[in-house]
Amino acid sequence: MKKILSFFALPILLAGCADYQENDLPITTNNKGPIFHASVETQQDASRTYLEEGKYMRWHADDEIAIFNGSTQLRQYQFMGESGDPEGDFEQIASIGTIGNSLDCNYALYPYAEDVTILSGGVITFTLSETQLHPSAVEESTPGFVASTEPYEEVIVTWSRSQINKSGNTFAPGTNPMMATTKSKEDLELKFKNLCGYLKLKLYGDDVTVQSITLSGNNGEPLAGLATATMNNGEAPTLAMGQDAGTLLTLDCGDGVTLSTDSANPTEFLFVVPSQTFTKGLTITVTDTEGKTFVKSTSNQVVIDRNVIQPMSALQIHTASENMKIYYTATSKVTPYSSSAFGANIISNEFNLHTNIGVITFDGPVTSIGNSAFYRRTGLTSITIPDSVTSIGRYAFEYCTGLISITIPDSVTSIGIYAFKNCTGLTSVTIPDSVTSIEGSAFAYCTGLTSVTVPDSVTSIGDSAFAYCTGLTSVTIGNGVTSIGRNAFYRCTGLTAFYGKFASEDNRCLIVDGALNSFAPSGLTEYAIPDSVTSIGGSAFAYCTGLTSVTIGNGVTSIGGSAFAYCTGLTSVTIGNGVTSIGGSA
């Protein structure tokens, strides 16, 4: 593939070069069109262009530019000089499209692309790529340039992996866009100026080889996609992003860049960024060569100015496998109530204010969501638990009233008492096949739940496990359940049916060893207890306010305490001859 970038310099590759006199060059042509002479803008009063000490830009022999030579027709030009030249001539190698409206002067854009267009007013439209190349993603035979302390004394070298790793702050071909205009159609002197600014990341870490880095603004700032550039001769260009611009930039590091382990001498990476202000800070996601990621957000405002490098503080990178992270969404950053509840230590907790996505990273696999881990974290809306977790402890999510959804992995074998009590926003819960027990009050007061499916793996459902789940309409009990605790579905007044094991033929009751354990009252005014029932459990019909009459068959021998408590609409009860005991407050 043809390399179309120019300026690299081993510490960096930005755009180029020297200070030139305002003299007009004679018009020179070949059989394809006029030959243009090009340079890049000078910073400060130095005799060479640099953005930081010792970091310069030069043309590369393969560089190509798009030129509109007095018309809106796109022309492809290639550099005629040697790699490392600070300036040189470009000759036309192709012309695309038909002759359009005449322009008052000549316009040029680096790098060349076939989709570059121009309006009659000199507004160039092009695409800023959402993926930028680090030199490590370029073929090793591509030459680079070692900057020296003297002007133009450059040494052409061939990339080697060690050089790349030591000099991670270079640009690869085609990364840094520039624009140039002339004074008139006859003027062939192109003075290129950078269109963007630069963000410098300084990273270090133990045994970390970076595959890619993704950048995003926390307020959805535009970073890639369709853009327009305008420029008048002798003035700085301006860049504007389109309405559908992308909000992510990714730096592709090819086979990987191994980070320095020294915080005082970190590895540097450069992003080319449209000039703007990240009003709510930004987020970076570092992915290593094993697919592990590290996310870091800052809420501080970050300003990117054209042609200026904005450095960030050195950052230590800890990449982690998926079982060392907990992802969540929330209205704001969520700090666990108990930091010692996970079987590993928290090393970072990053939250993106734009996406409302957070990630908590640990120094080892997360083995539990322990007691009170997220107690009363009301802003938490969803959470994904890694598949290394084997248990969810008591009170783990109690009073997480904003929690709407949760993914419980198959590795979890137990859900503790009060684990999700008062999670009133939960609308559905899928309990994995590995769970063997649901302890008492685990989902009590989850008023948003509408259905529950208990898998075959579960052997016991604890007391009041789903009590006060007033929105619950149906429950399916797996075949593995051998016991259901007292008041497991107490005051679940919206229930219309039970399914699966222990469900009565009419699906209105759960009957465990002859005892009517729970009742689904919604929509009923009269009810005859099935003949298979031998006893009515405590509070079985409590708060069934819609019932007006109940018939208890001769097979029932006992009625438990508070069996019909608070059934305020009940006007008649027929009790069979077999009843020998009636509990208190029945």
Side-chain angles (χ1 to χ4, degrees):
M1 182 177 70
K2 192 167 197 93
K3 301 294 180 268
I4 57 172
L5 187 88
S6 57
F7 14 82
F8 315 20
L10 248 190
I12 295 202
L13 286 176
L14 295 178
C17 276
D19 194 2
Y20 301 98
Q21 301 297 321
E22 290 288 337
N23 59 316
D24 291 332
L25 296 178
I27 296 177
T28 307
T29 64
N30 59 15
N31 58 359
K32 294 182 180 179
I35 293 176
F36 285 81
H37 188 84
S39 62
V40 291
E41 70 181 319
T42 301
Q43 262 204 351
Q44 303 174 4
D45 294 323
S47 60
R48 59 199 182 277
T49 296
Y50 64 95
L51 294 182
E52 288 184 326
E53 186 63 35
K55 298 174 182 176
Y56 320 108
M57 295 177 289
R58 300 290 185 267
W59 292 113
H60 185 278
D62 286 340
D63 278 340
E64 295 177 357
I65 59 177
I67 291 183
F68 298 95
N69 177 212
S71 76
T72 57
Q73 182 185 30
L74 173 62
R75 301 169 188 267
Q76 183 179 7
Y77 274 73
Q78 188 173 48
F79 187 53
M80 298 170 62
E82 299 293 331
S83 292
D85 286 349
E87 59 178 305
D89 293 336
F90 281 77
E91 66 176 345
Q92 182 175 317
I93 60 174
S95 179
I96 298 175
T98 58
I99 296 295
N101 296 326
S102 178
L103 299 168
D104 294 334
C105 61
N106 301 312
Y107 292 85
L109 182 79
Y110 173 86
Y112 170 83
E114 292 186 0
D115 62 350
V116 175
T117 60
I118 194 168
L119 300 177
S120 58
V123 178
I124 291 182
T125 300
F126 67 105
T127 301
L128 277 176
S129 175
E130 63 183 10
T131 300
Q132 299 178 2
L133 293 178
H134 185 277
S136 61
V138 180
E139 296 176 6
E140 290 192 19
S141 60
T142 302
F145 308 105
V146 179
S148 70
T149 57
E150 298 299 325
Y152 315 141
E153 292 183 5
E154 307 272 340
V155 180
I156 298 178
V157 300
T158 299
W159 290 116
S160 70
R161 196 61 57 202
S162 61
Q163 288 169 326
I164 289 172
N165 292 344
K166 291 177 182 177
S167 305
N169 56 351
T170 56
F171 286 140
T175 300
N176 185 67
M178 300 185 296
M179 186 177 179
T181 63
T182 62
K183 292 181 291 186
S184 66
K185 288 188 288 187
E186 291 73 28
D187 180 9
L188 303 182
E189 176 76 3
L190 296 172
K191 297 181 183 296
F192 277 93
K193 294 181 182 292
N194 297 326
L195 285 169
C196 295
Y198 312 96
L199 181 74
K200 178 194 285 187
L201 301 180
K202 294 180 282 189
L203 310 179
Y204 66 98
D206 293 331
D207 195 26
V208 177
T209 300
V210 176
Q211 182 84 66
S212 65
I213 306 173
T214 298
L215 171 71
S216 63
N218 295 338
N219 200 32
E221 287 81 1
L223 298 175
L226 202 63
T228 56
T230 58
M231 181 180 178
N232 294 319
N233 185 255
E235 299 179 3
T238 59
L239 179 70
M241 301 302 298
Q243 292 183 346
D244 297 328
T247 58
L248 297 176
L249 271 183
T250 297
L251 184 64
D252 180 358
C253 296
D255 293 335
V257 174
T258 301
L259 296 185
S260 166
T261 59
D262 182 6
S263 60
N265 185 32
T267 304
E268 296 179 351
F269 298 86
L270 279 166
F271 277 92
V272 181
V273 182
S275 300
Q276 61 189 296
T277 299
F278 293 95
T279 56
K280 297 181 180 179
L282 47 81
T283 295
I284 67 163
T285 302
V286 179
T287 302
D288 69 10
T289 51
E290 297 180 1
K292 302 173 183 177
T293 60
F294 173 86
V295 180
K296 177 66 177 179
S297 292
T298 175
S299 58
N300 297 330
Q301 179 175 287
V302 179
V303 179
I304 303 295
D305 291 322
R306 189 195 73 84
N307 205 34
V308 174
I309 291 180
Q310 174 61 54
M312 304 295 287
S313 300
L315 178 65
Q316 186 175 15
I317 301 300
H318 304 274
T319 54
S321 60
E322 291 304 301
N323 62 13
M324 295 166 68
K325 293 181 289 188
I326 293 176
Y327 292 94
Y328 66 89
T329 62
T331 55
S332 60
K333 184 176 180 178
V334 172
T335 302
Y337 180 84
S338 173
S339 60
S340 60
F342 304 96
N345 298 315
I346 296 174
I347 58 176
S348 67
N349 183 359
E350 305 300 332
F351 184 74
N352 188 316
L353 294 172
H354 175 61
T355 62
N356 292 330
I357 296 174
V359 57
I360 304 173
T361 304
F362 299 81
D363 62 359
V366 180
T367 57
S368 66
I369 307 295
N371 297 344
S372 305
F374 292 96
Y375 176 72
R376 285 190 182 271
R377 293 311 181 247
T378 56
L380 187 66
T381 55
S382 71
I383 189 166
T384 300
I385 299 172
D387 57 14
S388 54
V389 170
T390 59
S391 64
I392 298 176
R394 55 182 62 186
Y395 317 107
F397 295 95
E398 186 178 16
Y399 287 103
C400 289
T401 54
L403 190 61
I404 298 171
S405 64
I406 184 167
T407 300
I408 302 175
D410 290 339
S411 57
V412 172
T413 59
S414 65
I415 299 174
I417 188 171
Y418 303 128
F420 295 94
K421 183 180 178 182
N422 281 296
C423 290
T424 54
L426 272 179
T427 57
S428 65
V429 173
T430 299
I431 301 170
D433 292 337
S434 58
V435 176
T436 57
S437 64
I438 301 173
E439 294 189 26
S441 300
F443 294 93
Y445 294 93
C446 290
T447 55
L449 279 179
T450 57
S451 65
V452 169
T453 299
V454 180
D456 292 343
S457 60
V458 172
T459 59
S460 64
I461 300 174
D463 294 348
S464 305
F466 296 92
Y468 297 93
C469 291
T470 54
L472 201 57
T473 59
S474 66
V475 175
T476 301
I477 305 294
N479 292 328
V481 175
T482 58
S483 65
I484 299 176
R486 295 180 302 168
N487 302 322
F489 298 95
Y490 179 67
R491 296 191 69 170
C492 292
T493 53
L495 273 172
T496 59
F498 290 103
Y499 300 102
K501 190 173 183 181
F502 303 131
S504 60
E505 290 185 4
D506 61 3
N507 298 114
R508 286 289 181 170
C509 305
L510 286 179
I511 304 172
V512 182
D513 295 332
L516 196 156
N517 177 281
S518 302
F519 179 63
S522 183
L524 292 177
T525 56
E526 300 178 355
Y527 190 69
I529 293 174
D531 293 338
S532 58
V533 173
T534 57
S535 64
I536 299 173
S539 304
F541 290 87
Y543 290 93
C544 293
T545 57
L547 281 178
T548 58
S549 67
V550 172
T551 300
I552 301 173
N554 292 330
V556 174
T557 59
S558 64
I559 299 173
S562 302
F564 296 92
Y566 301 99
C567 291
T568 55
L570 201 57
T571 58
S572 68
V573 176
T574 302
I575 300 176
N577 295 329
V579 172
T580 58
S581 65
I582 299 176
S585 304

